[in-house]
Amino acid sequence: MSAKRNSWSETAPLLGQQHRFQSLPARLPSSNIGMASPTDSVPPPRPVFLGVDVGTGSARAGIFDETGKLLGSSSSPIQIWKDGNCIEQSSTDIWHAVCAAVKSACSKANVSGEEVKGLGFTATCSLVAVDADGSPVTVSWSGDSRRNVIVWMDHRAVEQAERINSFNSPVLQYCGGSLSPEMQPPKLLWVKENLPDTWSMVFRWMDLSDWLSYRATGDDTRSLCTTVCKWTYLGHAHMSQYNEKDSRNMEACGWDDDFWEEIGLRDLIDGHHAKIGRSVAFPGHPLGSGLTPVAAKELGLVAGIPVGVSLIDAHAGGVGVLESVPVQDSDSEGFNKEMILNRMALVCGTSTCHMAVSRDKLFIPGVWGPFWSAMVPEYWLTEGGQSATGALLDHIIQNHVASPHLANRAASQKISVFDILNKLLENLVVDLKSPFLAALTEDIHILPDFHGNRSPISDPKAKGVIYGLTLDTSEQQLSILYLATVQAIAYGTRHIVEHCNSHGHKINTLLACGGLAKNSLFIQEHADIIGCPIILPRESESVLLGAAILGAVAARKYSTLQDAMKALNSAGQVIYPSTDPKVKLYHDAKYQIFRELYEQQLSHRSIMARALS
């Protein structure tokens, strides 16, 4: 089986620490002075927590100590099939990759299975189909039973999403007004209409992170995070039941049966919603009796380890960074204990998710939510997003004629292509006597909606635009095109931040994590364009930390998820916007053009629709 090659946005070096702290031997009782003990030189087992994250191209595992420090991490590639708008994976392949990553991470951290005291899973919001025995059921036109996962970015269900949205169900107001084809109801409806044999065979439909925790524990309890954010489950139905000291499984009372019947999926109501979730729980709630003996053997761990209810990967990134406090702020007398309300987490990978929380529910057109307790219990979550960021940068670079030469140079120097492009841009500033780096893109403008617009426009039919191309095929031209793409992604985030703030949020600080957050140019352009400081985490693997935090809460190390966040989140570098007024003026002008590109696209779409009518 061939493995998908990691993209350039996913190959930055990990910042794991692979040493362990040695404790001093315990003092011997006075009656035993002079007598040797075989255990004197063996340090006591230290508790560590394991986080597992399944992304688009790989499964990763990270080991963290009680201070939130990364001791070791590892990744293992996973298979992916792409056929037009259909993008599929295998849950069997994913589990094998998870087991390999966990064993490798423990080895790199010099940690034994007995030392792992809690485990948490996160994953992309992909859809898994299994039968009554837990075996995979195909979701593919090919009929290949291995291909039982519809990947989050799959857009086969655009027509189904449009039809569902036309019903204008009350549940849609908690999804920004409309469902995306990346959510689960449109995908489920597509399967029922196109693969009837699959539909009749499936016993459980599960979000990937829920399937991982089910595979590890045998407990079919679903997460408030996955069900609320991707399945239209109304989490606030549980507001009166929430007890943060004794979070527990709850009978699923947030399903809107009228919605499922209206869209043609009434059979999912049967058996108290058995196929999509009879019980739900808050992230970090301990599942079943912990890790099953079978799963423990496969993972190289110990049976019974507490496993916490899962999170979607982006939401785990939010849990891993939102309570990070720079040292200078933590020492301030005026430090705001509710700073989390003024923050937005950017989880930057293949796509970018924009996570912000509020005490009150805020309805924001075109932005997902408000989702109650979907990330941090008792807070309403607002979730913006861009469907292609790291994937877009890879697409732009890989499809340029200069790309193979750059890739060879990067490989020979053991650095990323981003490093080479960033250096080329620095040299161009000097060679072209540009007033500042960002000004190199004055003649090229990009609309980054190559995979539709997730928010705030919420238009899956939106297309990407590159304005200002020439016949130049040099490396220097590619570096400018790359810079313009980075800026376009940042303008999209600015649009989301401004839109959220105009509807009740008060976001003034960003926290960035994920592969793209390791790119200094990417982060500085975002700071300059949005006008906010950006806090980077001390540990670069924030999604893995968020997953490990779920394990720490499940193990009762912390009584609440937010207590664990405050204890284990830690800030690193803070990136501030440029103070040069010319830089701000420049980006304001380019942002105006950025907004106009979409308006022009709508006009052109209308012209062509009339011509074809």
Side-chain angles (χ1 to χ4, degrees):
M1 182 180 294
S2 62
K4 176 179 177 289
R5 181 178 61 81
N6 283 342
S7 65
W8 286 318
S9 59
E10 296 171 336
T11 54
L14 300 177
L15 303 180
Q17 300 297 319
Q18 297 180 13
H19 63 274
R20 61 186 302 182
F21 298 100
Q22 298 292 331
S23 58
L24 295 174
R27 178 178 296 177
L28 293 172
S30 57
S31 59
N32 290 333
I33 293 177
M35 297 179 61
S37 170
T39 62
D40 286 348
S41 61
V42 179
R46 62 193 164 145
V48 297
F49 303 101
L50 171 60
V52 173
D53 169 47
V54 175
T56 306
S58 64
R60 304 181 305 137
I63 303 288
F64 295 84
D65 68 14
E66 291 181 292
T67 70
K69 188 174 185 61
L70 180 64
L71 303 177
S73 64
S74 185
S75 67
S76 182
I78 54 180
Q79 173 82 336
I80 190 166
W81 291 272
K82 294 183 179 180
D83 183 12
N85 285 330
C86 295
I87 307 175
E88 297 149 357
Q89 290 179 324
S90 160
S91 63
T92 302
D93 176 59
I94 287 171
W95 183 253
H96 289 160
V98 165
C99 294
V102 167
K103 291 175 182 177
S104 179
C106 289
S107 176
K108 290 182 178 181
N110 196 20
V111 161
S112 67
E114 290 77 9
E115 292 175 289
V116 177
K117 302 303 179 185
L119 167 61
F121 290 99
T122 74
T124 62
C125 49
S126 300
L127 178 64
V128 183
V130 294
D131 64 16
D133 297 325
S135 299
V137 179
T138 185
V139 293
S140 173
W141 284 119
S142 70
D144 186 344
S145 62
R146 294 174 301 167
R147 295 158 68 166
N148 71 316
V149 179
I150 301 180
V151 179
W152 67 270
M153 65 171 66
D154 182 291
H155 272 202
R156 70 181 70 184
V158 170
E159 188 272 329
Q160 284 76 14
E162 290 178 343
R163 200 182 331 145
I164 291 171
N165 291 332
S166 70
F167 291 114
N168 200 28
S169 168
V171 302
L172 299 183
Q173 66 180 312
Y174 290 93
C175 302
S178 63
L179 290 188
S180 162
E182 295 174 12
M183 292 179 175
Q184 310 305 9
K187 292 175 180 175
L188 291 166
L189 185 57
W190 184 94
V191 173
K192 182 175 183 179
E193 293 177 346
N194 292 277
L195 301 175
D197 290 343
T198 289
W199 187 256
S200 64
M201 290 175 61
V202 173
F203 188 75
R204 286 186 176 91
W205 293 102
M206 309 185 79
D207 236 75
L208 179 54
S209 60
D210 283 332
W211 178 82
L212 289 166
S213 59
Y214 168 70
R215 179 66 174 77
T217 67
D219 188 336
D220 188 24
T221 298
R222 311 297 175 94
S223 169
L224 268 175
C225 177
T226 60
T227 53
V228 170
C229 295
K230 306 302 173 186
W231 297 72
T232 73
Y233 188 84
L234 301 177
H236 48 284
H238 296 288
M239 291 181 77
S240 62
Q241 300 183 39
Y242 179 65
N243 180 345
E244 64 178 11
K245 299 298 182 183
D246 185 27
S247 150
R248 56 188 171 81
N249 288 18
M250 300 171 295
E251 182 178 353
C253 59
W255 295 116
D256 187 319
D257 291 350
D258 291 340
F259 166 76
W260 294 106
E261 184 168 1
E262 184 177 53
I263 69 172
L265 295 177
R266 192 194 181 289
D267 35 347
L268 295 180
I269 301 171
D270 297 343
H272 301 289
H273 315 94
K275 289 187 176 182
I276 57 175
R278 297 182 61 174
S279 65
V280 298
F282 296 93
H285 168 72
L287 287 164
S289 300
L291 201 60
T292 65
V294 171
K297 182 177 181 180
E298 294 169 329
L299 292 164
L301 301 174
V302 176
I305 292 172
V307 178
V309 166
S310 65
L311 283 165
I312 299 169
D313 52 0
H315 302 65
V319 167
V321 300
L322 272 177
E323 290 284 4
S324 299
V325 184
V327 174
Q328 64 270 24
D329 292 341
S330 62
D331 294 337
S332 171
E333 292 183 4
F335 173 63
N336 179 11
K337 298 299 183 183
E338 283 281 272
M339 64 177 182
I340 195 172
L341 299 177
N342 302 119
R343 296 178 152 204
M344 175 177 277
L346 307 184
V347 187
C348 314
T350 302
S351 63
T352 293
C353 292
H354 305 70
M355 322 295 291
V357 297
S358 58
R359 285 293 187 186
D360 301 316
K361 56 184 175 182
L362 301 174
F363 294 96
I364 306 176
V367 177
W368 295 345
F371 301 135
W372 186 74
S373 290
M375 186 171 72
V376 183
E378 290 197 290
Y379 286 85
W380 292 89
L381 170 66
T382 292
E383 181 184 350
Q386 294 164 287
S387 293
T389 51
L392 176 58
L393 287 168
D394 293 338
H395 175 79
I396 293 293
I397 296 169
Q398 292 169 0
N399 284 279
H400 194 278
V401 68
S403 177
H405 180 60
L406 283 182
N408 289 335
R409 282 172 55 191
S412 65
Q413 298 177 36
K414 297 183 179 179
I415 59 176
S416 76
V417 171
F418 291 158
D419 292 329
I420 294 178
L421 291 170
N422 292 351
K423 186 62 178 178
L424 284 170
L425 290 169
E426 291 175 7
N427 293 337
L428 278 175
V429 172
V430 176
D431 295 342
L432 300 179
K433 296 182 173 58
S434 177
F436 45 84
L437 186 143
L440 292 170
T441 63
E442 64 175 313
D443 292 326
I444 189 164
H445 308 283
I446 294 179
L447 187 69
D449 298 337
F450 284 54
H451 199 56
N453 184 283
R454 187 184 297 173
S455 57
I457 297 170
S458 189
D459 181 0
K461 293 184 176 180
K463 302 294 188 292
V465 176
I466 302 178
Y467 173 92
L469 290 176
T470 70
L471 294 177
D472 187 352
T473 59
S474 66
E475 294 179 357
Q476 289 75 16
Q477 189 274 340
L478 172 56
S479 70
I480 293 173
L481 184 61
Y482 152 73
L483 174 60
T485 307
V486 168
Q487 291 171 343
I489 292 168
Y491 295 135
T493 292
R494 173 173 169 174
H495 193 189
I496 292 168
V497 172
E498 289 181 353
H499 189 66
C500 289
N501 282 347
S502 70
H503 286 82
H505 278 287
K506 297 179 180 179
I507 297 160
N508 58 28
T509 303
L510 304 179
L511 297 98
C513 64
L516 291 177
K518 301 170 187 177
N519 184 334
S520 59
L521 180 138
F522 183 89
I523 295 301
Q524 187 63 62
E525 290 299 295
H526 274 69
D528 293 346
I529 287 168
I530 301 163
C532 294
I534 300 181
I535 300 172
L536 300 177
R538 180 192 69 186
E539 302 295 339
S540 64
E541 299 296 342
S542 299
V543 174
L544 288 176
L545 175 59
I549 285 173
L550 299 175
V553 175
R556 308 297 189 189
K557 172 67 176 177
Y558 302 95
S559 59
T560 70
L561 189 71
Q562 198 170 7
D563 286 345
M565 291 169 62
K566 289 177 178 178
L568 300 178
N569 287 186
S570 186
Q573 188 179 5
V574 181
I575 309 299
Y576 293 95
S578 170
T579 57
D580 185 346
K582 293 181 180 179
V583 173
K584 182 181 186 307
L585 186 63
Y586 176 84
H587 284 306
D588 286 347
K590 286 209 67 166
Y591 181 60
Q592 178 182 344
I593 295 171
F594 167 85
R595 297 289 299 273
E596 289 174 355
L597 287 175
Y598 179 73
E599 297 302 322
Q600 292 170 2
Q601 182 175 146
L602 287 181
S603 175
H604 297 163
R605 194 188 296 175
S606 177
I607 291 171
M608 296 311 299
R610 289 196 299 271
L612 293 171
S613 63

